[in-house]
Amino acid sequence: MSEASAPHAADRRELTAAQRNAVAELLRVSPVADELGRRFARAGHELHLVGGSVRDALLGRLGDDLDFCTDAHPDETLRVVRGWAESIWETGREFGTIGCQRDGLRLEITTFRAESYDQVSRNPVVEYGTDLAEDLRRRDFTINAMAVSLPEHRFTDPHGGLDDLAAKVIRTPGTPAESFGDDPLRMLRAARFAAQLGFAVHPEAYAAMVGMAADLDRITAERVRDEFTKLLCGADPITGLRLLVDTGLAERFLPELTGLKLEIDEHAQHKDVYEHTLTVVSNAVSYETEGPDFVLRMAALMHDVGKPATKAVGTDGRVSFHHHEVVGARLTKARMKAMRYPKEITSKVTALVGLHLRFYGYGRGEWTDSAVRRYVADAGDLLPRLHKLTRSDCTTRNRRKAAQLAADYDALEERIARIAAEEDLARVRPDLDGNAIMELLGVPPGPVVGRAWKHLKELRLERGPLDRDEAEAELRRWARDEGITG
């Protein structure tokens, strides 16, 4: 693999390691990639591995999704891959992209592009380009503007992406103003790459992000949502979140995050809610065991968004945020709806925000077994996440207080486990089902059955399991009190 630009002496060791990574990764996919390259060559066309695939190969983290560019137009690409690919899709055809699968690899092949933008929306006017240099020049960042020809493996790097990869810098191929003006989503992508890769944004690009943050309003909510989700699920979401707030980008689509920067009341001396929130997100990440959990991370990010609206200073100078979990849940639901998150995801995050304070008070010995049952029932299948969120929310620097909170929650989890073993808490149900209720009361299906079922569930939560005779006696007593039976 040759280099388009010589590395700086200080970077040579890192670059050599990067090249070794690339060679190893490319060898893994070469049987498919090189075979595809030979097919394009026989048809008289170029083929290059490009963009994020080259970047990830250099970082030693190339996945099974590979991006290619070619001078072949979509119809020509289809002729090359038909009969060779195991499956083909054309969903990106209007943008010049044909997708296919071979030997477990997903391949997306895009015709060289020379895009121009209308400067109003982010929608490009797609024009096919004629050469690789033009295609690389239109890309978002230098680290994504490198290519490897197939099957020859010639390395092309006209904008110094290899040097920027070694220096861990996010920089645009042209001027940041021109790049972000063409596609404002690139500003959010810069923050996302910072979170995913741990790279720093180049000062010129950072300044442009600050000056052009309002241009993000041109982007659809769905595309902003997708980039933000990737950012929050990155290896270092805190770096990405700070970039969003410091550049003003967060104000365009997630103003509640910026709103957490409450002024410190010098008399009350309460903690900075914004910094506390970032710590909670970081803590939540540390509790993950099976990869990034967006629901948990988003709940950690939003758990205190109700505080600015509920902040009050009492006559004694103490600050309070009464019912901020209720207000926060409402704000979270509205914001995630505006960002076009699916209802199922939104409801889970909203529920966790609304429940995150429920634990406090347990350590004072106020919780009965009934309270524990309700805690488990209300959390439902979110209980494991609620455990993690509640523990993450303990950010006090007072070691004694932190240790006491941890011990209290350990005790609560042990108590939940004990009661669950005795009563099957995971599926709290009334001791009589709907059919039994209708038979005992002599009523048809309808609202009365639902009300009776709800009453019996409340009894189940309050007193634990009832035997059949107790449950029937309680149902008849309730029916008499309600005037349903004589």
Side-chain angles (χ1 to χ4, degrees):
M1 184 183 300
S2 61
E3 295 170 24
S5 58
H8 299 299
D11 295 335
R12 189 163 289 134
R13 181 179 303 168
E14 287 186 75
L15 297 185
T16 300
Q19 290 170 312
R20 283 200 300 269
N21 286 333
V23 169
E25 295 291 275
L26 290 173
L27 283 174
R28 180 175 66 83
V29 301
S30 278
V32 170
D34 289 350
E35 184 179 350
L36 184 60
R38 286 190 290 271
R39 291 179 69 89
F40 271 85
R42 285 196 296 270
H45 295 295
E46 300 175 37
L47 185 71
H48 305 268
L49 191 69
V50 72
S53 292
V54 177
R55 179 200 69 224
D56 288 344
L58 288 162
L59 293 173
R61 43 174 275 176
L62 183 62
D64 294 331
D65 294 337
L66 307 181
D67 294 324
F68 301 86
C69 64
T70 179
D71 59 337
H73 288 196
D75 285 342
E76 297 165 317
T77 295
L78 282 170
R79 282 194 289 270
V80 171
V81 300
R82 278 190 179 129
W84 175 81
E86 295 158 358
S87 60
I88 297 173
W89 55 93
E90 301 181 45
T91 50
R93 185 191 179 99
E94 65 177 307
F95 298 107
T97 300
I98 299 297
C100 64
Q101 182 163 323
R102 174 83 179 196
D103 292 350
L105 298 175
R106 288 172 55 88
L107 320 172
E108 292 208 333
I109 307 157
T110 303
T111 304
F112 290 152
R113 294 210 295 249
E115 294 171 350
S116 60
Y117 293 77
D118 58 15
Q119 299 292 321
V120 176
S121 72
R122 72 137 326 259
N123 296 324
V125 178
V126 178
E127 297 178 357
Y128 294 141
T130 57
D131 60 63
L132 178 63
E134 186 179 28
D135 184 271
L136 295 179
R137 186 167 56 248
R138 73 170 179 81
R139 294 181 178 266
D140 53 5
F141 305 112
T142 61
I143 59 174
N144 296 330
M146 298 177 282
V148 175
S149 67
L150 299 166
E152 302 89 353
H153 292 188
R154 287 192 313 273
F155 181 59
T156 303
D157 179 22
H159 303 289
L162 194 58
D163 285 349
D164 288 342
L165 198 68
K168 298 185 177 181
V169 171
I170 299 168
R171 185 169 59 87
T172 57
T175 67
E178 180 182 26
S179 180
F180 298 157
D182 279 347
D183 184 358
L185 189 68
R186 290 172 174 171
M187 295 185 287
L188 192 52
R189 283 170 62 83
R192 189 250 288 186
F193 281 123
Q196 286 183 328
L197 303 176
F199 285 17
V201 175
H202 190 278
E204 290 181 6
Y206 181 93
M209 290 164 69
V210 173
M212 302 175 67
D215 286 12
L216 192 64
D217 296 348
R218 289 160 41 194
I219 308 301
T220 63
E222 290 83 359
R223 300 212 59 203
V224 170
R225 173 202 65 203
D226 291 346
E227 284 295 332
F228 174 73
T229 300
K230 292 174 184 176
L231 182 157
L232 192 59
C233 291
D236 180 17
I238 306 307
T239 291
L241 292 170
R242 287 193 186 279
L243 271 170
L244 294 182
V245 172
D246 294 347
T247 58
L249 287 169
E251 191 64 33
R252 313 315 306 183
F253 69 95
L254 191 61
E256 293 82 3
L257 179 57
T258 305
L260 293 176
K261 283 196 162 186
L262 301 176
E263 294 184 8
I264 299 294
D265 185 307
E266 63 183 44
H267 300 293
Q269 296 181 343
H270 63 274
K271 70 179 78 175
D272 183 318
V273 181
Y274 170 69
E275 291 297 336
H276 162 73
T277 295
L278 295 184
T279 301
V280 174
V281 173
S282 182
N283 289 345
V285 171
S286 71
Y287 282 115
E288 293 172 343
T289 56
E290 298 180 0
D293 182 345
F294 172 77
V295 169
L296 175 62
R297 294 188 186 197
M298 189 64 174
L301 184 67
M302 302 297 284
H303 80 286
D304 274 351
V305 295
K307 280 190 171 179
T310 58
K311 177 185 175 184
V313 181
T315 55
D316 59 355
R318 295 176 66 88
V319 173
S320 64
F321 304 99
H322 293 307
H323 305 300
H324 77 266
E325 75 282 12
V326 177
V327 174
R330 186 172 69 246
L331 290 173
T332 298
K333 182 177 181 180
R335 178 54 54 197
M336 293 186 71
K337 181 179 180 181
M339 294 177 71
R340 305 290 194 271
Y341 278 102
K343 289 183 179 179
E344 181 183 1
I345 299 297
T346 298
S347 65
K348 289 179 179 180
V349 175
T350 300
L352 286 170
V353 172
L355 288 168
H356 83 274
L357 279 186
R358 184 76 70 86
F359 159 71
Y360 293 94
Y362 176 79
R364 296 194 294 270
E366 299 169 357
W367 281 36
T368 61
D369 281 358
S370 171
V372 175
R373 292 187 197 99
R374 291 179 188 277
Y375 187 76
V376 174
D378 289 347
D381 60 5
L382 293 173
L383 185 62
R385 286 186 173 115
L386 183 57
H387 288 332
K388 294 174 183 178
L389 177 60
T390 303
R391 289 184 182 277
S392 299
D393 195 23
C394 177
T395 64
T396 179
R397 296 178 183 176
N398 183 318
R399 291 185 178 181
R400 183 185 60 78
K401 184 177 179 181
Q404 184 59 56
L405 285 170
D408 288 345
Y409 209 82
D410 286 343
L412 175 59
E413 288 201 55
E414 290 171 4
R415 190 170 173 188
I416 288 173
R418 175 180 59 77
I419 297 176
E422 297 170 356
E423 305 178 14
D424 191 15
L425 280 183
R427 293 184 294 125
V428 172
R429 295 288 185 275
D431 297 283
L432 300 174
D433 63 16
N435 291 327
I437 291 170
M438 289 187 286
E439 182 180 346
L440 284 166
L441 299 185
V443 297
V448 169
V449 179
R451 286 165 50 205
W453 190 93
K454 185 176 181 181
H455 171 71
L456 290 174
K457 181 177 180 181
E458 287 296 313
L459 281 177
R460 174 72 168 78
L461 290 169
E462 186 67 32
R463 291 163 48 179
L466 305 178
D467 63 31
R468 181 80 182 196
D469 290 342
E470 287 179 304
E472 291 181 358
E474 289 291 348
L475 177 62
R476 292 192 177 95
R477 183 180 301 113
W478 173 84
R480 287 195 300 272
D481 293 343
E482 293 289 312
I484 296 169
T485 60

